[in-house]
Short mmCIF file of all heavy atoms in Angstrom, two decimals:
data_model
loop_
_atom_site.label_atom_id
_atom_site.label_comp_id
_atom_site.label_asym_id
_atom_site.label_seq_id
_atom_site.Cartn_x
_atom_site.Cartn_y
_atom_site.Cartn_z
N MET A 38 29.59 -18.23 -13.93
CA MET A 38 28.75 -17.65 -12.88
C MET A 38 28.69 -16.13 -13.02
O MET A 38 29.69 -15.48 -13.26
CB MET A 38 29.31 -18.01 -11.51
CG MET A 38 28.20 -18.40 -10.54
SD MET A 38 28.87 -19.08 -9.02
CE MET A 38 28.36 -17.82 -7.89
N GLU A 39 27.51 -15.61 -12.82
CA GLU A 39 27.34 -14.18 -12.99
C GLU A 39 27.67 -13.43 -11.70
O GLU A 39 27.22 -13.81 -10.62
CB GLU A 39 25.89 -13.89 -13.38
CG GLU A 39 25.74 -12.59 -14.16
CD GLU A 39 24.30 -12.41 -14.62
OE1 GLU A 39 23.74 -13.36 -15.18
OE2 GLU A 39 23.77 -11.31 -14.41
N GLU A 40 28.43 -12.41 -11.83
CA GLU A 40 28.77 -11.61 -10.64
C GLU A 40 27.64 -10.65 -10.31
O GLU A 40 26.95 -10.17 -11.20
CB GLU A 40 30.03 -10.79 -10.93
CG GLU A 40 31.31 -11.55 -10.69
CD GLU A 40 32.52 -10.66 -10.97
OE1 GLU A 40 32.60 -9.57 -10.38
OE2 GLU A 40 33.36 -11.05 -11.80
N ASN A 41 27.49 -10.40 -9.04
CA ASN A 41 26.52 -9.37 -8.65
C ASN A 41 27.05 -8.01 -9.07
O ASN A 41 28.17 -7.67 -8.77
CB ASN A 41 26.32 -9.39 -7.13
CG ASN A 41 25.34 -10.46 -6.71
OD1 ASN A 41 24.60 -10.98 -7.53
ND2 ASN A 41 25.35 -10.79 -5.44
N LYS A 42 26.19 -7.31 -9.75
CA LYS A 42 26.61 -5.99 -10.18
C LYS A 42 26.52 -5.02 -9.01
O LYS A 42 25.57 -5.04 -8.26
CB LYS A 42 25.68 -5.50 -11.30
CG LYS A 42 26.11 -5.99 -12.66
CD LYS A 42 25.30 -5.28 -13.73
CE LYS A 42 25.32 -6.08 -15.01
NZ LYS A 42 24.18 -5.76 -15.86
N ILE A 43 27.53 -4.21 -8.90
CA ILE A 43 27.51 -3.19 -7.86
C ILE A 43 27.02 -1.89 -8.50
O ILE A 43 27.55 -1.45 -9.51
CB ILE A 43 28.91 -3.02 -7.24
CG1 ILE A 43 29.25 -4.27 -6.43
CG2 ILE A 43 28.95 -1.77 -6.35
CD1 ILE A 43 30.67 -4.31 -5.93
N MET A 44 25.98 -1.36 -7.90
CA MET A 44 25.43 -0.11 -8.42
C MET A 44 25.91 1.03 -7.54
O MET A 44 25.92 0.92 -6.32
CB MET A 44 23.90 -0.17 -8.40
CG MET A 44 23.31 -1.24 -9.28
SD MET A 44 23.55 -0.94 -11.04
CE MET A 44 22.73 0.64 -11.20
N ILE A 45 26.26 2.09 -8.19
CA ILE A 45 26.75 3.27 -7.47
C ILE A 45 25.77 4.43 -7.71
O ILE A 45 25.34 4.64 -8.83
CB ILE A 45 28.15 3.68 -8.00
CG1 ILE A 45 29.16 2.52 -7.86
CG2 ILE A 45 28.66 4.93 -7.29
CD1 ILE A 45 29.61 2.25 -6.44
N CYS A 46 25.44 5.13 -6.64
CA CYS A 46 24.60 6.32 -6.79
C CYS A 46 25.42 7.39 -7.49
O CYS A 46 26.50 7.77 -7.02
CB CYS A 46 24.13 6.80 -5.42
SG CYS A 46 23.16 8.33 -5.51
N GLY A 47 24.90 7.87 -8.61
CA GLY A 47 25.63 8.87 -9.39
C GLY A 47 25.76 10.20 -8.66
O GLY A 47 26.63 11.00 -8.96
N LYS A 48 24.86 10.42 -7.70
CA LYS A 48 24.83 11.69 -6.99
C LYS A 48 25.82 11.68 -5.82
O LYS A 48 26.58 12.61 -5.63
CB LYS A 48 23.41 11.91 -6.45
CG LYS A 48 22.94 13.35 -6.57
CD LYS A 48 21.44 13.46 -6.43
CE LYS A 48 21.04 13.68 -4.98
NZ LYS A 48 19.59 13.88 -4.83
N CYS A 49 25.78 10.58 -5.05
CA CYS A 49 26.58 10.52 -3.81
C CYS A 49 27.87 9.73 -3.99
O CYS A 49 28.73 9.77 -3.13
CB CYS A 49 25.76 9.89 -2.68
SG CYS A 49 24.10 10.51 -2.56
N ASN A 50 27.94 8.96 -5.08
CA ASN A 50 29.11 8.14 -5.34
C ASN A 50 29.32 7.10 -4.24
O ASN A 50 30.43 6.80 -3.85
CB ASN A 50 30.36 9.01 -5.51
CG ASN A 50 31.38 8.34 -6.39
OD1 ASN A 50 31.02 7.57 -7.30
ND2 ASN A 50 32.64 8.60 -6.16
N VAL A 51 28.22 6.55 -3.72
CA VAL A 51 28.30 5.46 -2.75
C VAL A 51 27.57 4.25 -3.31
O VAL A 51 26.71 4.38 -4.19
CB VAL A 51 27.72 5.85 -1.37
CG1 VAL A 51 28.55 6.93 -0.71
CG2 VAL A 51 26.27 6.27 -1.47
N GLU A 52 27.93 3.08 -2.80
CA GLU A 52 27.37 1.83 -3.27
C GLU A 52 25.91 1.70 -2.81
O GLU A 52 25.59 1.95 -1.65
CB GLU A 52 28.20 0.69 -2.70
CG GLU A 52 28.00 -0.62 -3.39
CD GLU A 52 28.90 -1.68 -2.77
OE1 GLU A 52 30.11 -1.42 -2.64
OE2 GLU A 52 28.38 -2.75 -2.41
N LEU A 53 25.04 1.32 -3.75
CA LEU A 53 23.63 1.12 -3.39
C LEU A 53 23.49 -0.18 -2.60
O LEU A 53 24.19 -1.14 -2.84
CB LEU A 53 22.77 1.05 -4.65
CG LEU A 53 22.83 2.26 -5.59
CD1 LEU A 53 21.78 2.11 -6.67
CD2 LEU A 53 22.63 3.56 -4.85
N GLU A 54 22.57 -0.18 -1.65
CA GLU A 54 22.33 -1.36 -0.82
C GLU A 54 20.89 -1.82 -0.99
O GLU A 54 19.99 -1.01 -1.16
CB GLU A 54 22.55 -1.00 0.66
CG GLU A 54 23.98 -0.62 0.96
CD GLU A 54 24.15 -0.13 2.39
OE1 GLU A 54 23.13 0.16 3.05
OE2 GLU A 54 25.31 -0.04 2.83
N PRO A 55 20.68 -3.15 -0.91
CA PRO A 55 19.31 -3.65 -1.03
C PRO A 55 18.50 -3.24 0.19
O PRO A 55 18.97 -3.34 1.32
CB PRO A 55 19.45 -5.17 -1.08
CG PRO A 55 20.90 -5.48 -1.00
CD PRO A 55 21.65 -4.22 -0.69
N ALA A 56 17.30 -2.77 -0.05
CA ALA A 56 16.42 -2.37 1.05
C ALA A 56 15.00 -2.68 0.66
O ALA A 56 14.62 -2.62 -0.52
CB ALA A 56 16.58 -0.89 1.35
N LYS A 57 14.20 -3.03 1.64
CA LYS A 57 12.79 -3.32 1.38
C LYS A 57 12.08 -2.00 1.09
O LYS A 57 12.17 -1.05 1.85
CB LYS A 57 12.18 -4.03 2.58
CG LYS A 57 10.83 -4.61 2.26
CD LYS A 57 10.54 -5.83 3.13
CE LYS A 57 11.14 -7.08 2.52
NZ LYS A 57 10.57 -8.30 3.04
N THR A 58 11.39 -1.98 -0.02
CA THR A 58 10.74 -0.76 -0.46
C THR A 58 9.29 -1.07 -0.79
O THR A 58 8.98 -2.11 -1.37
CB THR A 58 11.45 -0.20 -1.71
OG1 THR A 58 12.82 -0.02 -1.38
CG2 THR A 58 10.88 1.14 -2.13
N TYR A 59 8.41 -0.18 -0.39
CA TYR A 59 6.99 -0.37 -0.63
C TYR A 59 6.55 0.40 -1.87
O TYR A 59 6.96 1.52 -2.09
CB TYR A 59 6.17 0.09 0.58
CG TYR A 59 6.31 -0.85 1.73
CD1 TYR A 59 7.36 -0.71 2.63
CD2 TYR A 59 5.43 -1.91 1.89
CE1 TYR A 59 7.53 -1.60 3.68
CE2 TYR A 59 5.59 -2.81 2.94
CZ TYR A 59 6.64 -2.64 3.82
OH TYR A 59 6.80 -3.53 4.84
N PHE A 60 5.72 -0.26 -2.62
CA PHE A 60 5.14 0.37 -3.80
C PHE A 60 3.64 0.28 -3.68
O PHE A 60 3.12 -0.65 -3.07
CB PHE A 60 5.53 -0.39 -5.08
CG PHE A 60 6.99 -0.37 -5.36
CD1 PHE A 60 7.80 -1.37 -4.88
CD2 PHE A 60 7.53 0.65 -6.12
CE1 PHE A 60 9.15 -1.36 -5.15
CE2 PHE A 60 8.88 0.66 -6.40
CZ PHE A 60 9.69 -0.34 -5.92
N SER A 61 2.95 1.21 -4.28
CA SER A 61 1.52 1.01 -4.40
C SER A 61 1.11 1.27 -5.84
O SER A 61 1.66 2.12 -6.52
CB SER A 61 0.74 1.88 -3.43
OG SER A 61 0.97 3.22 -3.69
N TYR A 62 0.17 0.47 -6.26
CA TYR A 62 -0.27 0.52 -7.64
C TYR A 62 -1.69 0.03 -7.70
O TYR A 62 -1.99 -1.05 -7.15
CB TYR A 62 0.67 -0.36 -8.49
CG TYR A 62 0.31 -0.40 -9.96
CD1 TYR A 62 0.38 0.74 -10.75
CD2 TYR A 62 -0.12 -1.59 -10.54
CE1 TYR A 62 0.06 0.69 -12.08
CE2 TYR A 62 -0.44 -1.66 -11.88
CZ TYR A 62 -0.36 -0.51 -12.65
OH TYR A 62 -0.68 -0.56 -13.97
N LEU A 63 -2.57 0.76 -8.31
CA LEU A 63 -3.98 0.38 -8.44
C LEU A 63 -4.58 -0.02 -7.09
O LEU A 63 -5.22 -1.06 -6.96
CB LEU A 63 -4.13 -0.79 -9.42
CG LEU A 63 -3.74 -0.50 -10.88
CD1 LEU A 63 -3.88 -1.76 -11.71
CD2 LEU A 63 -4.61 0.61 -11.47
N ASP A 64 -4.32 0.77 -6.06
CA ASP A 64 -4.84 0.52 -4.71
C ASP A 64 -4.28 -0.74 -4.07
O ASP A 64 -4.77 -1.20 -3.05
CB ASP A 64 -6.38 0.45 -4.70
CG ASP A 64 -6.99 1.80 -5.06
OD1 ASP A 64 -6.34 2.83 -4.78
OD2 ASP A 64 -8.09 1.81 -5.61
N HIS A 65 -3.27 -1.34 -4.67
CA HIS A 65 -2.60 -2.47 -4.05
C HIS A 65 -1.21 -2.02 -3.66
O HIS A 65 -0.61 -1.21 -4.34
CB HIS A 65 -2.47 -3.64 -5.03
CG HIS A 65 -3.74 -4.41 -5.19
ND1 HIS A 65 -3.86 -5.72 -4.84
CD2 HIS A 65 -4.95 -4.02 -5.65
CE1 HIS A 65 -5.09 -6.11 -5.09
NE2 HIS A 65 -5.78 -5.10 -5.59
N SER A 66 -0.73 -2.59 -2.57
CA SER A 66 0.66 -2.28 -2.24
C SER A 66 1.43 -3.57 -2.09
O SER A 66 0.88 -4.61 -1.76
CB SER A 66 0.74 -1.43 -0.98
OG SER A 66 0.17 -2.10 0.09
N PHE A 67 2.68 -3.51 -2.36
CA PHE A 67 3.54 -4.67 -2.21
C PHE A 67 4.93 -4.17 -1.86
O PHE A 67 5.25 -2.99 -2.05
CB PHE A 67 3.57 -5.51 -3.50
CG PHE A 67 3.84 -4.72 -4.76
CD1 PHE A 67 5.13 -4.53 -5.21
CD2 PHE A 67 2.78 -4.19 -5.49
CE1 PHE A 67 5.37 -3.81 -6.37
CE2 PHE A 67 3.03 -3.46 -6.64
CZ PHE A 67 4.32 -3.27 -7.09
N ASP A 68 5.71 -5.04 -1.30
CA ASP A 68 7.09 -4.64 -1.01
C ASP A 68 8.05 -5.58 -1.69
O ASP A 68 7.75 -6.75 -1.92
CB ASP A 68 7.34 -4.57 0.49
CG ASP A 68 7.12 -5.89 1.17
OD1 ASP A 68 8.01 -6.75 1.12
OD2 ASP A 68 6.02 -6.06 1.76
N THR A 69 9.17 -5.07 -2.00
CA THR A 69 10.19 -5.85 -2.67
C THR A 69 11.55 -5.26 -2.33
O THR A 69 11.64 -4.10 -1.93
CB THR A 69 9.94 -5.89 -4.19
OG1 THR A 69 10.82 -6.83 -4.78
CG2 THR A 69 10.15 -4.54 -4.83
N ASP A 70 12.57 -6.11 -2.40
CA ASP A 70 13.91 -5.60 -2.15
C ASP A 70 14.45 -4.91 -3.39
O ASP A 70 14.52 -5.53 -4.44
CB ASP A 70 14.86 -6.74 -1.75
CG ASP A 70 14.64 -7.17 -0.31
OD1 ASP A 70 14.23 -6.32 0.49
OD2 ASP A 70 14.90 -8.34 0.00
N VAL A 71 14.79 -3.68 -3.26
CA VAL A 71 15.42 -2.97 -4.36
C VAL A 71 16.70 -2.32 -3.85
O VAL A 71 16.86 -2.09 -2.66
CB VAL A 71 14.50 -1.88 -4.97
CG1 VAL A 71 13.26 -2.47 -5.59
CG2 VAL A 71 14.15 -0.82 -3.95
N LEU A 72 17.55 -2.03 -4.77
CA LEU A 72 18.78 -1.33 -4.40
C LEU A 72 18.45 0.13 -4.16
O LEU A 72 17.73 0.75 -4.93
CB LEU A 72 19.80 -1.45 -5.54
CG LEU A 72 20.39 -2.83 -5.74
CD1 LEU A 72 21.25 -2.85 -7.00
CD2 LEU A 72 21.22 -3.25 -4.55
N ARG A 73 18.97 0.63 -3.07
CA ARG A 73 18.75 2.05 -2.83
C ARG A 73 19.99 2.67 -2.20
O ARG A 73 20.77 2.00 -1.54
CB ARG A 73 17.47 2.27 -2.03
CG ARG A 73 17.62 2.42 -0.55
CD ARG A 73 16.27 2.45 0.13
NE ARG A 73 15.44 3.54 -0.37
CZ ARG A 73 14.14 3.68 -0.10
NH1 ARG A 73 13.53 2.80 0.62
NH2 ARG A 73 13.47 4.69 -0.56
N CYS A 74 20.13 3.95 -2.43
CA CYS A 74 21.29 4.66 -1.93
C CYS A 74 21.13 4.89 -0.43
O CYS A 74 20.12 5.45 0.00
CB CYS A 74 21.42 5.99 -2.66
SG CYS A 74 22.71 7.04 -1.98
N PRO A 75 22.10 4.45 0.39
CA PRO A 75 21.98 4.63 1.84
C PRO A 75 22.11 6.09 2.25
O PRO A 75 21.76 6.45 3.36
CB PRO A 75 23.13 3.78 2.41
CG PRO A 75 24.12 3.68 1.31
CD PRO A 75 23.36 3.77 0.01
N LYS A 76 22.59 6.90 1.36
CA LYS A 76 22.83 8.30 1.71
C LYS A 76 21.64 9.19 1.35
O LYS A 76 21.09 9.87 2.21
CB LYS A 76 24.09 8.78 0.99
CG LYS A 76 24.78 9.92 1.71
CD LYS A 76 26.16 10.13 1.11
CE LYS A 76 26.75 11.44 1.57
NZ LYS A 76 28.03 11.73 0.90
N CYS A 77 21.23 9.16 0.09
CA CYS A 77 20.12 10.04 -0.31
C CYS A 77 18.80 9.28 -0.39
O CYS A 77 17.75 9.89 -0.56
CB CYS A 77 20.43 10.76 -1.62
SG CYS A 77 20.46 9.70 -3.07
N GLY A 78 18.85 7.94 -0.27
CA GLY A 78 17.62 7.16 -0.25
C GLY A 78 16.99 6.95 -1.61
O GLY A 78 15.88 6.44 -1.72
N LEU A 79 17.69 7.32 -2.65
CA LEU A 79 17.16 7.16 -4.00
C LEU A 79 17.12 5.68 -4.37
O LEU A 79 18.15 5.02 -4.36
CB LEU A 79 18.05 7.93 -4.98
CG LEU A 79 17.53 8.00 -6.41
CD1 LEU A 79 16.45 9.06 -6.53
CD2 LEU A 79 18.67 8.32 -7.36
N PRO A 80 15.93 5.13 -4.66
CA PRO A 80 15.86 3.73 -5.02
C PRO A 80 16.18 3.51 -6.49
O PRO A 80 15.89 4.35 -7.34
CB PRO A 80 14.41 3.36 -4.73
CG PRO A 80 13.65 4.62 -4.87
CD PRO A 80 14.61 5.77 -4.63
N PHE A 81 16.79 2.39 -6.75
CA PHE A 81 17.03 2.01 -8.13
C PHE A 81 16.11 0.85 -8.45
O PHE A 81 16.26 -0.25 -7.94
CB PHE A 81 18.49 1.58 -8.34
CG PHE A 81 18.74 1.08 -9.73
CD1 PHE A 81 18.86 1.97 -10.79
CD2 PHE A 81 18.84 -0.27 -9.99
CE1 PHE A 81 19.07 1.50 -12.07
CE2 PHE A 81 19.05 -0.75 -11.28
CZ PHE A 81 19.17 0.15 -12.32
N VAL A 82 15.08 1.09 -9.24
CA VAL A 82 14.11 0.07 -9.59
C VAL A 82 14.25 -0.26 -11.07
O VAL A 82 13.96 0.58 -11.91
CB VAL A 82 12.67 0.54 -9.30
CG1 VAL A 82 11.68 -0.59 -9.57
CG2 VAL A 82 12.55 1.03 -7.88
N PRO A 83 14.72 -1.47 -11.34
CA PRO A 83 14.80 -1.84 -12.75
C PRO A 83 13.41 -1.86 -13.37
O PRO A 83 12.45 -2.28 -12.72
CB PRO A 83 15.39 -3.26 -12.72
CG PRO A 83 15.88 -3.48 -11.34
CD PRO A 83 15.13 -2.54 -10.45
N GLU A 84 13.31 -1.40 -14.57
CA GLU A 84 12.01 -1.28 -15.22
C GLU A 84 11.31 -2.63 -15.33
O GLU A 84 10.10 -2.73 -15.17
CB GLU A 84 12.19 -0.66 -16.59
CG GLU A 84 10.94 0.06 -17.07
CD GLU A 84 11.21 0.86 -18.33
OE1 GLU A 84 12.26 1.50 -18.40
OE2 GLU A 84 10.37 0.82 -19.23
N GLU A 85 12.10 -3.67 -15.59
CA GLU A 85 11.50 -5.01 -15.73
C GLU A 85 10.82 -5.42 -14.42
O GLU A 85 9.76 -6.02 -14.43
CB GLU A 85 12.54 -6.09 -16.06
CG GLU A 85 13.49 -5.75 -17.18
CD GLU A 85 14.74 -5.10 -16.65
OE1 GLU A 85 15.52 -5.80 -15.97
OE2 GLU A 85 14.94 -3.89 -16.85
N LEU A 86 11.47 -5.12 -13.31
CA LEU A 86 10.90 -5.49 -12.01
C LEU A 86 9.59 -4.76 -11.78
O LEU A 86 8.59 -5.36 -11.39
CB LEU A 86 11.89 -5.15 -10.90
CG LEU A 86 11.37 -5.41 -9.49
CD1 LEU A 86 11.26 -6.89 -9.22
CD2 LEU A 86 12.27 -4.77 -8.45
N ALA A 87 9.57 -3.49 -12.04
CA ALA A 87 8.35 -2.70 -11.85
C ALA A 87 7.24 -3.23 -12.74
O ALA A 87 6.11 -3.42 -12.30
CB ALA A 87 8.63 -1.23 -12.15
N ASN A 88 7.56 -3.50 -13.99
CA ASN A 88 6.55 -4.00 -14.91
C ASN A 88 6.03 -5.36 -14.48
O ASN A 88 4.83 -5.63 -14.56
CB ASN A 88 7.13 -4.11 -16.33
CG ASN A 88 7.36 -2.74 -16.94
OD1 ASN A 88 6.78 -1.75 -16.50
ND2 ASN A 88 8.19 -2.68 -17.95
N GLU A 89 6.93 -6.21 -14.00
CA GLU A 89 6.55 -7.55 -13.57
C GLU A 89 5.59 -7.49 -12.39
O GLU A 89 4.56 -8.15 -12.37
CB GLU A 89 7.82 -8.31 -13.19
CG GLU A 89 7.62 -9.78 -12.91
CD GLU A 89 8.92 -10.38 -12.40
OE1 GLU A 89 9.91 -10.36 -13.14
OE2 GLU A 89 8.93 -10.83 -11.24
N ARG A 90 5.91 -6.67 -11.41
CA ARG A 90 5.07 -6.54 -10.22
C ARG A 90 3.72 -5.95 -10.58
O ARG A 90 2.69 -6.36 -10.05
CB ARG A 90 5.75 -5.68 -9.16
CG ARG A 90 6.93 -6.36 -8.51
CD ARG A 90 6.56 -7.76 -8.08
NE ARG A 90 7.53 -8.32 -7.19
CZ ARG A 90 7.30 -8.54 -5.88
NH1 ARG A 90 6.14 -8.27 -5.36
NH2 ARG A 90 8.24 -9.06 -5.14
N MET A 91 3.72 -4.97 -11.45
CA MET A 91 2.46 -4.36 -11.84
C MET A 91 1.60 -5.35 -12.61
O MET A 91 0.38 -5.39 -12.44
CB MET A 91 2.72 -3.11 -12.66
CG MET A 91 3.20 -1.98 -11.76
SD MET A 91 3.58 -0.49 -12.67
CE MET A 91 4.21 0.53 -11.33
N ALA A 92 2.21 -6.19 -13.40
CA ALA A 92 1.47 -7.22 -14.13
C ALA A 92 0.85 -8.20 -13.15
O ALA A 92 -0.28 -8.65 -13.33
CB ALA A 92 2.40 -7.95 -15.10
N GLN A 93 1.58 -8.51 -12.06
CA GLN A 93 1.04 -9.42 -11.04
C GLN A 93 -0.18 -8.82 -10.37
O GLN A 93 -1.16 -9.50 -10.12
CB GLN A 93 2.11 -9.73 -9.99
CG GLN A 93 3.15 -10.71 -10.47
CD GLN A 93 4.29 -10.87 -9.47
OE1 GLN A 93 4.26 -10.31 -8.38
NE2 GLN A 93 5.29 -11.63 -9.84
N VAL A 94 -0.12 -7.53 -10.08
CA VAL A 94 -1.26 -6.84 -9.46
C VAL A 94 -2.44 -6.88 -10.41
O VAL A 94 -3.57 -7.18 -10.02
CB VAL A 94 -0.90 -5.39 -9.09
CG1 VAL A 94 -2.13 -4.62 -8.67
CG2 VAL A 94 0.14 -5.38 -7.97
N GLU A 95 -2.20 -6.60 -11.66
CA GLU A 95 -3.29 -6.60 -12.64
C GLU A 95 -3.91 -7.98 -12.76
O GLU A 95 -5.12 -8.12 -12.86
CB GLU A 95 -2.76 -6.14 -14.01
CG GLU A 95 -2.61 -4.62 -14.04
CD GLU A 95 -1.77 -4.13 -15.21
OE1 GLU A 95 -1.41 -4.95 -16.08
OE2 GLU A 95 -1.48 -2.92 -15.24
N MET A 96 -3.08 -9.02 -12.73
CA MET A 96 -3.60 -10.38 -12.81
C MET A 96 -4.44 -10.73 -11.60
O MET A 96 -5.47 -11.36 -11.71
CB MET A 96 -2.45 -11.38 -12.95
CG MET A 96 -2.03 -11.55 -14.40
SD MET A 96 -0.47 -12.44 -14.57
CE MET A 96 -0.96 -14.06 -14.00
N SER A 97 -3.98 -10.30 -10.41
CA SER A 97 -4.75 -10.63 -9.21
C SER A 97 -6.08 -9.90 -9.20
O SER A 97 -7.07 -10.39 -8.66
CB SER A 97 -3.93 -10.32 -7.95
OG SER A 97 -3.81 -8.94 -7.76
N LEU A 98 -6.14 -8.74 -9.82
CA LEU A 98 -7.40 -8.01 -9.92
C LEU A 98 -8.36 -8.74 -10.86
O LEU A 98 -9.55 -8.83 -10.59
CB LEU A 98 -7.17 -6.59 -10.45
CG LEU A 98 -6.49 -5.62 -9.47
CD1 LEU A 98 -6.25 -4.29 -10.17
CD2 LEU A 98 -7.31 -5.41 -8.22
N GLU A 99 -7.82 -9.30 -11.91
CA GLU A 99 -8.67 -10.00 -12.88
C GLU A 99 -9.22 -11.31 -12.34
O GLU A 99 -10.24 -11.79 -12.76
CB GLU A 99 -7.86 -10.28 -14.17
CG GLU A 99 -7.75 -9.03 -15.04
CD GLU A 99 -6.72 -9.20 -16.15
OE1 GLU A 99 -6.29 -10.33 -16.39
OE2 GLU A 99 -6.36 -8.18 -16.75
N ASP A 100 -8.49 -11.89 -11.37
CA ASP A 100 -8.92 -13.16 -10.78
C ASP A 100 -10.22 -13.06 -9.99
O ASP A 100 -10.89 -14.04 -9.76
CB ASP A 100 -7.83 -13.72 -9.86
CG ASP A 100 -6.72 -14.39 -10.67
OD1 ASP A 100 -6.96 -14.62 -11.87
OD2 ASP A 100 -5.67 -14.69 -10.10
N LYS A 101 -10.53 -11.87 -9.53
CA LYS A 101 -11.69 -11.70 -8.67
C LYS A 101 -13.00 -11.99 -9.38
O LYS A 101 -13.14 -11.62 -10.54
CB LYS A 101 -11.72 -10.26 -8.14
CG LYS A 101 -10.96 -10.19 -6.82
CD LYS A 101 -11.15 -8.81 -6.19
CE LYS A 101 -9.93 -8.43 -5.38
NZ LYS A 101 -9.91 -7.00 -5.13
ZN1 ZN B 389 22.69 8.92 -3.35
#
């Protein structure tokens, strides 16, 4: 079983917490849970996640 990785903010040295974060891309917006620092608010967005969501937006645009 894979353990949940604990991410630490390099700036504040506190544990990142999942928080709902809004993104907008190509005039579309979506929200997703990402890890973010409770102190400085810096979100940690894995590149794969961002790419995946953007691909979904692009696909939904093509469907029209
Ligand atoms: Zn921080």
Side-chain angles (χ1 to χ4, degrees):
M38 222 171 114
E39 206 176 312
E40 276 181 55
N41 278 344
K42 275 190 201 157
I43 291 172
M44 297 292 301
I45 303 287
C46 177
K48 220 163 91 176
C49 314
N50 208 31
V51 294
E52 197 178 309
L53 303 188
E54 295 174 346
K57 193 152 275 198
T58 304
Y59 288 86
F60 296 91
S61 62
Y62 179 65
L63 296 177
D64 295 331
H65 282 243
S66 59
F67 50 90
D68 60 81
T69 189
D70 283 331
V71 297
L72 290 173
R73 96 187 301 170
C74 173
K76 206 168 167 186
C77 69
L79 187 79
F81 176 76
V82 185
E84 206 171 318
E85 312 91 69
L86 176 70
N88 289 341
E89 188 186 298
R90 289 312 194 110
M91 285 178 184
Q93 284 173 5
V94 170
E95 281 165 7
M96 275 168 67
S97 72
L98 288 177
E99 282 168 13
D100 281 347
K101 269 188 211 162

